[in-house]
Amino acid sequence: MAKIMNSMWCVEPGVIEMREKPVYQIGPKDVLVKIAYSGICPWDLRVYLGKKNVPLPRILGHEIAGIVTEVGSDVKDLEIGTPVVGDFIVKCGVCKNCRNERENKCLNPTFLPGGYAEYAAFPRKNIHPIKPGVSLKAAAFTEPLATVFRGQTVLRLKPGETEVVVGVGPIGQLHAQVAKAYGARVIAVDLIQERLDLAKKLGADAIVNSSQHDMVAAIEELTDGKGADAAVVAVPSSPLVSETAKALAIGGRLNIFAGIYPVDPISIDPNLIHYKELNILGSADSTSTDFYKALKMIEDGTIKVEPLISHLLPLNKLQEGLDIVAKCQGLKVMFEVGGEEG
Ligand SMILES: [Zn+2]
Ligand SMILES: [Zn+2]
């Protein structure tokens, strides 16, 4: 008889249901992973709140680390018991975008059943082994860090430049650290003082509490009137994008990193873009290269992720976890599924 696993299903917007399902039967090129930790992404919250149109019911969750428990007959390079992270989006590898270094925008992606379950199955190519000894809790940040890594790459930072990170929630905290790793001077902006204090502790050079100070004026002051060379807006707010653009230096780049729902057009003076030669950019998702690099940065300790975990809950508290994220309480909400010991 097939082994049974617990899995948390988003049945319809606002409704989460625990279901017992058979553990996946894997194909010859696949890997079965027993999930150790699984984090909440704002994307999960948007689906749960009905703000994102995806087919339901489904198992959400795409930020995991776990342990290999079974490999297909063609998989020769992975042993049972290996700690791994898995990428839940399978790219086709042959479309125009996949062929042009934009596999994150694959035209024919397959979305695997998600990580709010005891097990997940992946093709071998979507599995990244974790260096032994690295905490699985930390490795579960690989997927969000991969998207952040891509977001920083498009900004083409040079050492010594100043980058502003607007919004230092879990994602903004990662942006600030990756920008530091690129050699930038980082200014973190948020309304919540605790988040700013943490950003400072994790390496930000300056912090601006925008509930007390005018953000644009503060950035100007911190850059001797020149403005920031790069900025990432990690908050879903169109007015903040427009405002941040005013704080850019000549040649400045701005990455709109958060999806904004409902759609709210931005308003930026075109002369600002024209005369200051600004670049307004966006980035979303990640490639397997970003995944690989993100995991390396976690493994070698360049990016400190565990201080970002504010809540570690059992998987059956998924609904509670989503409510915590919805209220912007704490930082990263993570579920302990099998834990470090598997
Ligand atoms: Zn995500
Ligand atoms: Zn493709």
Side-chain angles (χ1 to χ4, degrees), residues 41-43 62-63 143-144 147:
C41 168
W43 186 88
H62 53 261
E63 302 180 358
E143 193 276 343
T147 66

Side-chain angles (χ1 to χ4, degrees), residues 31-236:
V31 176
L32 183 67
V33 175
K34 187 166 193 292
I35 294 175
Y37 295 96
S38 192
I40 294 187
C41 168
W43 186 88
D44 298 324
L45 182 66
R46 282 203 288 276
V47 174
Y48 169 69
L49 294 176
K51 289 183 180 176
K52 187 106 192 170
N53 204 4
V54 301
L56 298 176
R58 73 191 270 162
I59 306 174
L60 302 172
H62 53 261
E63 302 180 358
I64 65 109
I67 292 166
V68 173
T69 54
E70 195 186 329
V71 296
S73 53
D74 289 353
V75 178
K76 307 290 185 199
D77 66 334
L78 261 190
E79 279 175 32
I80 288 167
T82 306
V84 294
V85 294
D87 181 352
F88 284 93
I89 305 178
V90 184
K91 283 91 177 187
C92 77
V94 296
C95 71
K96 176 177 177 262
N97 294 341
C98 281
R99 296 289 194 204
N100 284 285
E101 294 170 8
R102 265 188 215 281
E103 59 162 89
N104 56 316
K105 295 284 118 193
C106 174
L107 296 171
N108 312 299
T110 305
F111 299 94
L112 300 171
Y116 297 144
E118 288 180 285
Y119 291 87
F122 303 87
R124 168 64 186 92
K125 67 168 186 169
N126 279 44
I127 288 285
H128 300 256
I130 304 165
K131 192 168 126 187
V134 171
S135 113
L136 297 182
K137 223 181 275 165
F141 279 85
T142 301
E143 193 276 343
L145 183 59
T147 66
V148 164
F149 184 76
R150 179 170 182 82
Q152 290 296 322
T153 306
V154 303
L155 287 171
R156 301 186 321 279
L157 272 181
K158 296 184 206 75
E161 287 192 321
T162 298
E163 174 170 323
V164 174
V165 178
V166 181
V168 278
I171 286 288
Q173 298 279 352
L174 297 176
H175 276 290
Q177 292 189 58
V178 176
K180 279 303 286 180
Y182 270 110
R185 175 173 169 255
V186 171
I187 302 172
V189 180
D190 207 293
L191 296 162
I192 302 171
Q193 190 60 39
E194 295 80 58
R195 291 185 168 189
L196 291 167
D197 293 340
L198 182 63
K200 189 96 213 259
K201 203 171 136 199
L202 296 175
D205 299 279
I207 54 176
V208 174
N209 188 325
S210 49
S211 72
Q212 295 159 12
H213 303 278
D214 177 72
M215 176 180 79
V216 178
I219 293 167
E220 262 176 28
E221 201 183 313
L222 286 163
T223 55
D224 298 326
K226 294 189 182 71
D229 303 298
V232 55
V233 180
V235 183

